[in-house]
mmCIF file of all heavy atoms in Angstrom:
data_model
loop_
_atom_site.group_PDB
_atom_site.id
_atom_site.type_symbol
_atom_site.label_atom_id
_atom_site.label_comp_id
_atom_site.label_asym_id
_atom_site.label_seq_id
_atom_site.Cartn_x
_atom_site.Cartn_y
_atom_site.Cartn_z
ATOM 1 N N ALA A 261 -14.621 -13.227 8.599
ATOM 2 C CA ALA A 261 -15.445 -12.038 8.680
ATOM 3 C C ALA A 261 -15.004 -10.962 7.691
ATOM 4 O O ALA A 261 -15.711 -9.997 7.466
ATOM 5 C CB ALA A 261 -15.409 -11.482 10.099
ATOM 6 N N CYS A 262 -13.831 -11.106 7.122
ATOM 7 C CA CYS A 262 -13.280 -10.104 6.202
ATOM 8 C C CYS A 262 -13.048 -10.763 4.852
ATOM 9 O O CYS A 262 -11.922 -10.962 4.430
ATOM 10 C CB CYS A 262 -11.973 -9.536 6.759
ATOM 11 S SG CYS A 262 -12.138 -8.785 8.382
ATOM 12 N N GLN A 268 -3.686 -11.209 -5.565
ATOM 13 C CA GLN A 268 -3.175 -11.828 -6.789
ATOM 14 C C GLN A 268 -1.659 -11.847 -6.715
ATOM 15 O O GLN A 268 -1.026 -10.810 -6.471
ATOM 16 C CB GLN A 268 -3.631 -11.058 -8.024
ATOM 17 C CG GLN A 268 -3.164 -11.695 -9.334
ATOM 18 C CD GLN A 268 -3.583 -10.911 -10.563
ATOM 19 O OE1 GLN A 268 -3.954 -9.735 -10.472
ATOM 20 N NE2 GLN A 268 -3.532 -11.555 -11.716
ATOM 21 N N ASN A 280 -12.629 -3.524 -1.385
ATOM 22 C CA ASN A 280 -13.603 -2.430 -1.325
ATOM 23 C C ASN A 280 -13.353 -1.354 -2.383
ATOM 24 O O ASN A 280 -13.473 -0.163 -2.128
ATOM 25 C CB ASN A 280 -13.619 -1.803 0.073
ATOM 26 C CG ASN A 280 -14.061 -2.784 1.145
ATOM 27 O OD1 ASN A 280 -14.624 -3.836 0.847
ATOM 28 N ND2 ASN A 280 -13.797 -2.458 2.393
ATOM 29 N N PRO A 288 5.607 -4.630 -7.948
ATOM 30 C CA PRO A 288 5.299 -5.320 -9.212
ATOM 31 C C PRO A 288 6.526 -5.384 -10.124
ATOM 32 O O PRO A 288 7.100 -4.355 -10.476
ATOM 33 C CB PRO A 288 4.195 -4.441 -9.813
ATOM 34 C CG PRO A 288 4.473 -3.067 -9.276
ATOM 35 C CD PRO A 288 5.011 -3.281 -7.885
ATOM 36 N N TRP A 305 20.703 -14.880 -14.285
ATOM 37 C CA TRP A 305 19.303 -14.531 -14.061
ATOM 38 C C TRP A 305 18.476 -14.968 -15.254
ATOM 39 O O TRP A 305 18.647 -14.450 -16.358
ATOM 40 C CB TRP A 305 19.138 -13.026 -13.851
ATOM 41 C CG TRP A 305 19.864 -12.465 -12.661
ATOM 42 C CD1 TRP A 305 20.891 -11.581 -12.668
ATOM 43 C CD2 TRP A 305 19.591 -12.744 -11.283
ATOM 44 N NE1 TRP A 305 21.293 -11.285 -11.396
ATOM 45 C CE2 TRP A 305 20.508 -11.984 -10.516
ATOM 46 C CE3 TRP A 305 18.673 -13.564 -10.623
ATOM 47 C CZ2 TRP A 305 20.531 -12.024 -9.125
ATOM 48 C CZ3 TRP A 305 18.690 -13.591 -9.233
ATOM 49 C CH2 TRP A 305 19.608 -12.837 -8.504
ATOM 50 N N HIS A 314 0.540 -8.399 -18.192
ATOM 51 C CA HIS A 314 1.317 -7.287 -18.753
ATOM 52 C C HIS A 314 0.972 -6.028 -17.972
ATOM 53 O O HIS A 314 -0.200 -5.779 -17.666
ATOM 54 C CB HIS A 314 1.005 -7.087 -20.240
ATOM 55 C CG HIS A 314 1.977 -6.179 -20.917
ATOM 56 N ND1 HIS A 314 1.841 -4.805 -20.898
ATOM 57 C CD2 HIS A 314 3.117 -6.440 -21.612
ATOM 58 C CE1 HIS A 314 2.848 -4.251 -21.562
ATOM 59 N NE2 HIS A 314 3.641 -5.222 -22.003
ATOM 60 N N LEU A 323 -2.631 2.620 -5.862
ATOM 61 C CA LEU A 323 -1.392 2.812 -5.129
ATOM 62 C C LEU A 323 -0.418 1.694 -5.461
ATOM 63 O O LEU A 323 -0.810 0.525 -5.519
ATOM 64 C CB LEU A 323 -1.672 2.814 -3.618
ATOM 65 C CG LEU A 323 -0.479 2.932 -2.672
ATOM 66 C CD1 LEU A 323 0.208 4.281 -2.818
ATOM 67 C CD2 LEU A 323 -0.923 2.700 -1.230
ATOM 68 N N ALA A 352 4.508 4.953 -3.650
ATOM 69 C CA ALA A 352 5.038 5.221 -2.318
ATOM 70 C C ALA A 352 6.107 4.201 -1.964
ATOM 71 O O ALA A 352 5.993 3.020 -2.293
ATOM 72 C CB ALA A 352 3.912 5.187 -1.287
ATOM 73 N N ALA A 362 11.348 9.382 -10.013
ATOM 74 C CA ALA A 362 11.321 10.632 -10.778
ATOM 75 C C ALA A 362 12.016 10.456 -12.129
ATOM 76 O O ALA A 362 11.561 11.008 -13.143
ATOM 77 C CB ALA A 362 11.996 11.742 -9.968
ATOM 78 N N LEU A 371 4.307 10.986 -6.025
ATOM 79 C CA LEU A 371 5.318 10.276 -5.248
ATOM 80 C C LEU A 371 5.159 10.565 -3.756
ATOM 81 O O LEU A 371 4.934 11.710 -3.355
ATOM 82 C CB LEU A 371 6.719 10.681 -5.701
ATOM 83 C CG LEU A 371 7.050 10.474 -7.180
ATOM 84 C CD1 LEU A 371 8.486 10.904 -7.450
ATOM 85 C CD2 LEU A 371 6.823 9.029 -7.594
ATOM 86 N N ALA A 392 10.474 -1.370 9.445
ATOM 87 C CA ALA A 392 11.881 -1.519 9.059
ATOM 88 C C ALA A 392 12.158 -2.947 8.588
ATOM 89 O O ALA A 392 11.525 -3.903 9.030
ATOM 90 C CB ALA A 392 12.786 -1.169 10.232
ATOM 91 N N VAL A 428 14.984 -12.260 9.751
ATOM 92 C CA VAL A 428 14.261 -12.224 11.017
ATOM 93 C C VAL A 428 15.202 -11.669 12.085
ATOM 94 O O VAL A 428 16.326 -12.146 12.230
ATOM 95 C CB VAL A 428 13.776 -13.626 11.424
ATOM 96 C CG1 VAL A 428 13.096 -13.577 12.785
ATOM 97 C CG2 VAL A 428 12.829 -14.189 10.374
ATOM 98 N N ILE A 443 -2.849 -11.981 7.590
ATOM 99 C CA ILE A 443 -2.159 -12.524 6.419
ATOM 100 C C ILE A 443 -0.736 -11.987 6.423
ATOM 101 O O ILE A 443 -0.531 -10.769 6.416
ATOM 102 C CB ILE A 443 -2.866 -12.122 5.112
ATOM 103 C CG1 ILE A 443 -4.327 -12.587 5.108
ATOM 104 C CG2 ILE A 443 -2.122 -12.685 3.898
ATOM 105 C CD1 ILE A 443 -5.164 -11.970 4.012
ATOM 106 N N ASN A 449 13.770 -17.039 0.416
ATOM 107 C CA ASN A 449 14.856 -17.474 -0.472
ATOM 108 C C ASN A 449 16.192 -17.681 0.222
ATOM 109 O O ASN A 449 17.120 -18.251 -0.345
ATOM 110 C CB ASN A 449 15.042 -16.501 -1.633
ATOM 111 C CG ASN A 449 15.340 -15.086 -1.186
ATOM 112 O OD1 ASN A 449 14.596 -14.505 -0.398
ATOM 113 N ND2 ASN A 449 16.420 -14.509 -1.693
ATOM 114 N N LEU A 458 28.572 -12.580 -5.260
ATOM 115 C CA LEU A 458 28.111 -11.935 -6.492
ATOM 116 C C LEU A 458 27.322 -10.661 -6.220
ATOM 117 O O LEU A 458 26.824 -10.028 -7.147
ATOM 118 C CB LEU A 458 27.243 -12.909 -7.294
ATOM 119 C CG LEU A 458 27.956 -14.128 -7.867
ATOM 120 C CD1 LEU A 458 26.953 -15.113 -8.454
ATOM 121 C CD2 LEU A 458 28.971 -13.711 -8.922
ATOM 122 N N ASN A 463 17.821 -13.037 2.421
ATOM 123 C CA ASN A 463 16.681 -12.882 3.313
ATOM 124 C C ASN A 463 16.593 -14.071 4.262
ATOM 125 O O ASN A 463 17.447 -14.958 4.258
ATOM 126 C CB ASN A 463 15.389 -12.784 2.500
ATOM 127 C CG ASN A 463 15.366 -11.576 1.600
ATOM 128 O OD1 ASN A 463 15.590 -10.456 2.039
ATOM 129 N ND2 ASN A 463 15.124 -11.795 0.310
ATOM 130 N N ASN A 465 15.475 -17.645 5.590
ATOM 131 C CA ASN A 465 15.304 -18.890 4.853
ATOM 132 C C ASN A 465 13.945 -19.508 5.188
ATOM 133 O O ASN A 465 13.154 -18.953 5.963
ATOM 134 C CB ASN A 465 16.459 -19.857 5.104
ATOM 135 C CG ASN A 465 16.573 -20.292 6.555
ATOM 136 O OD1 ASN A 465 15.591 -20.391 7.284
ATOM 137 N ND2 ASN A 465 17.807 -20.566 6.979
ATOM 138 N N PRO A 483 4.297 -17.679 1.359
ATOM 139 C CA PRO A 483 5.720 -17.563 1.017
ATOM 140 C C PRO A 483 5.914 -16.847 -0.313
ATOM 141 O O PRO A 483 5.149 -17.045 -1.263
ATOM 142 C CB PRO A 483 6.163 -19.021 0.922
ATOM 143 C CG PRO A 483 4.938 -19.746 0.444
ATOM 144 C CD PRO A 483 3.769 -19.033 1.087
ATOM 145 N N GLY A 505 5.518 -30.033 9.973
ATOM 146 C CA GLY A 505 6.211 -30.730 11.039
ATOM 147 C C GLY A 505 6.196 -29.945 12.330
ATOM 148 O O GLY A 505 5.228 -29.975 13.090
ATOM 149 N N ARG A 508 3.020 -27.275 12.805
ATOM 150 C CA ARG A 508 1.850 -27.793 12.100
ATOM 151 C C ARG A 508 0.562 -27.065 12.460
ATOM 152 O O ARG A 508 -0.459 -27.261 11.818
ATOM 153 C CB ARG A 508 1.702 -29.288 12.336
ATOM 154 C CG ARG A 508 1.401 -29.705 13.759
ATOM 155 C CD ARG A 508 1.244 -31.212 13.831
ATOM 156 N NE ARG A 508 2.474 -31.876 13.416
ATOM 157 C CZ ARG A 508 2.520 -33.151 13.038
ATOM 158 N NH1 ARG A 508 1.426 -33.874 13.006
ATOM 159 N NH2 ARG A 508 3.674 -33.691 12.692
#
Side-chain angles (χ1 to χ4, degrees):
C262 302
Q268 182 182 17
N280 297 345
W305 299 115
H314 193 275
L323 177 65
L371 303 181
V428 177
I443 303 167
N449 58 306
L458 293 171
N463 297 308
N465 63 31
R508 65 178 61 199

